[in-house]
Amino acid sequence: MTFPLDKFLVKAEAIGHSNEYLEDISNYVSNLENKNLPVIFSFPHLCLLAGVNIGNIAKIYNSGRIDAYKRFKLKKKRGGYRVIQSPENELKYLQRWVLHNILEKIPSHSSCKGFDKRTSIKQNAEMHLNKQGILKIDLLRFYDSINEKRIYGIFKSMGYHQNLAVSLAKICTLRPNQTFLNSFKSTEQTLKDRIKKSVEGILPQGAPTSPKLSNLIARRLDIRLAALGNKNNLSYSRYADDITFSGEIESLNNIRKIIYRIIREENFYVNYDKTKLLIRGNPFFVTGLSVNNNIVTVPKKRKKDIEHHLFHCIKNGVEIHLNKCGIKKRNFKDWLLGNIAFVYSVEKPLGEKYFNDFNKIEWPM
């Protein structure tokens, strides 16, 4: 997406723009193109490049973006629920344009193993094989702790004009309403109070741009924690809000308070209830994958569940099996296929076997 700078400068000079203006434009364009970023001057220019209606998008972000999102709840394993906020079609299209044309051009830290091309949950787990101990720390409401001002800083640091950076930040954030705030537990009150006092939007869980933006926001955190790990001969990785260190038990215990301090200094919050120190000899799991026996595998229980469903769906038929098990999932087929795809991403030969068995099932019309 090369910008025709020469033609632009000729026209700008012809209508009387100053040499200072022409120099500023040249530097602006060169800076962005050197980073392989699209040249965008303003919010209207962004909408023109993306092919969206400027009036519709302006109306969305001037109103706080609240009406441009659909909401639904997902239950958490440990109680409570997570609010997923998904943008309506035109805003989602624009966010995807921003993701593919801007955000994906900026690399995340090498220790970040989630939501980037050529990274995976398996890679994240592989970093912690053959270790004496594993320290797992969860970031509390990771997306919710990232506000509009921080997102503005990301776009501004890329070299975009500050007014455009404001627009991009608004496009990628959402002002929370009371329904969303009601999902906070009592242990999350500090963050809830901070959000309530602010008039800024936060990163919505459900927007296409949110995972990559969260990785870019967390770059300083990754830099500092990776350096801490290197200093103490420990491996470090982060997958979204899951932080993992592994190595000698004594070293892991020695750095725990330092990790907490760094997280606070980088304006994130620790979910202390989910902090765990695993010691070899006990089950070792990293982001839901087993790292026992010097190899990354899917937990046995998950594989047994898949095998159980495959066997009985083939033998007895889907409807009889679901009725017998009391399963009322309307999307059971998609659920089973998704679990098989997950196994395939970690244990390819076994995943291929599951796919073959899945194709033997006679699904009701």
Side-chain angles (χ1 to χ4, degrees):
M1 194 181 295
T2 304
F3 181 77
L5 179 60
D6 291 341
K7 292 181 179 179
F8 182 90
L9 293 177
V10 168
K11 289 185 178 181
E13 187 174 12
I15 61 176
H17 281 294
S18 66
N19 290 333
E20 183 180 9
Y21 173 85
L22 300 178
E23 184 178 353
D24 287 345
I25 291 295
S26 297
N27 291 336
Y28 182 78
V29 171
S30 297
N31 180 42
L32 293 173
E33 290 191 333
N34 287 339
K35 297 175 182 177
N36 197 29
L37 293 170
V39 176
I40 312 171
F41 293 106
S42 63
F43 170 69
H45 189 201
L46 168 67
C47 293
L48 180 66
L49 289 175
V52 296
N53 185 291
I54 182 174
N56 292 343
I57 300 300
K59 184 178 179 181
I60 286 170
Y61 82 67
N62 285 331
S63 65
R65 292 85 78 194
I66 197 70
D67 295 328
Y69 284 79
K70 298 176 182 177
R71 292 161 193 80
F72 57 94
K73 299 176 182 178
L74 291 179
K75 287 186 178 180
K76 295 181 179 179
K77 291 182 180 179
R78 298 192 176 188
Y81 57 89
R82 174 180 291 108
V83 177
I84 304 299
Q85 306 185 99
S86 178
E88 57 87 29
N89 290 339
E90 191 163 21
L91 179 58
K92 182 181 288 187
Y93 174 85
L94 179 56
Q95 289 174 345
R96 283 177 175 158
W97 190 94
V98 171
L99 172 65
H100 297 316
N101 291 281
I102 300 177
L103 299 177
E104 289 181 345
K105 304 291 180 66
I106 307 298
S108 304
H109 190 271
S110 59
S111 297
C112 172
K113 300 301 178 183
F115 308 118
D116 267 335
K117 293 178 180 178
R118 296 178 294 279
T119 65
S120 69
I121 195 170
K122 183 179 181 181
Q123 286 183 17
N124 185 62
E126 284 175 337
M127 293 188 64
H128 306 287
L129 288 168
N130 305 313
K131 299 299 174 65
Q132 185 185 65
I134 295 176
L135 178 62
K136 299 165 64 176
I137 297 174
D138 183 73
L139 296 177
L140 181 71
R141 287 188 172 264
F142 183 41
Y143 285 6
D144 304 340
S145 65
I146 299 173
N147 60 25
E148 193 176 317
K149 185 176 181 180
R150 298 173 80 176
I151 301 302
Y152 161 82
I154 290 293
F155 289 112
K156 186 70 168 59
S157 69
M158 293 178 185
Y160 286 111
H161 188 275
Q162 60 185 23
N163 290 344
L164 176 59
V166 168
S167 296
L168 286 164
K170 288 182 179 295
I171 288 164
C172 297
T173 57
L174 168 66
R175 287 184 187 173
N177 61 7
Q178 191 57 47
T179 301
F180 174 80
L181 293 172
N182 288 341
S183 68
F184 281 67
K185 296 187 290 189
S186 58
T187 53
E188 301 166 343
Q189 190 64 42
T190 301
L191 176 57
K192 180 180 179 179
D193 289 341
R194 192 185 87 179
I195 293 173
K196 285 178 69 174
K197 290 178 183 178
S198 173
V199 296
E200 297 180 45
I202 59 174
L203 210 57
Q205 188 161 352
T209 43
S210 293
K212 179 62 180 184
L213 278 169
S214 69
N215 282 345
L216 296 180
I217 290 290
R219 278 184 303 184
R220 266 176 49 95
L221 175 70
D222 290 333
I223 290 169
R224 296 182 68 184
L225 292 182
L228 178 66
N230 289 335
K231 184 178 179 181
N232 290 274
N233 197 30
L234 298 169
S235 296
Y236 163 74
S237 70
R238 180 181 60 81
Y239 188 93
D241 56 358
D242 290 316
I243 286 173
T244 308
F245 282 87
S246 61
E248 297 295 321
I249 300 296
E250 183 179 0
S251 297
L252 293 172
N253 279 319
N254 289 341
I255 67 166
R256 188 183 299 203
K257 290 183 179 179
I258 302 174
I259 296 170
Y260 292 161
R261 175 175 58 79
I262 291 173
I263 291 172
R264 289 193 300 268
E265 289 175 353
E266 294 301 323
N267 291 311
F268 293 108
Y269 296 79
V270 178
N271 188 344
Y272 295 100
D273 292 339
K274 289 189 176 181
T275 296
K276 291 181 180 179
L277 178 61
L278 308 178
I279 300 174
R280 181 161 292 282
N282 298 302
F284 265 23
F285 293 98
V286 175
T287 47
L289 295 178
S290 172
V291 290
N292 294 302
N293 304 320
N294 305 323
I295 188 172
V296 174
T297 58
V298 177
K300 290 181 180 179
K301 183 182 183 306
R302 190 164 186 175
K303 290 186 285 192
K304 284 183 178 180
D305 285 343
I306 293 171
E307 291 164 5
H308 169 78
H309 291 307
L310 288 172
F311 176 81
H312 287 285
C313 283
I314 294 170
K315 180 181 178 181
N316 303 318
V318 175
E319 292 182 347
I320 292 175
H321 172 61
L322 296 184
N323 288 333
K324 190 173 181 179
C325 294
I327 297 174
K328 298 180 180 179
K329 291 181 180 179
R330 294 181 181 177
N331 62 340
F332 173 76
K333 182 178 180 180
D334 292 338
W335 174 85
L336 182 58
L337 187 60
N339 275 273
I340 292 172
F342 177 76
V343 173
Y344 179 83
S345 70
V346 180
E347 300 181 54
K348 187 174 180 179
L350 182 60
E352 288 176 342
K353 179 183 180 301
Y354 288 167
F355 275 128
N356 289 334
D357 289 341
F358 180 87
N359 290 330
K360 297 175 185 177
I361 299 173
E362 294 185 10
W363 295 96
M365 299 297 290

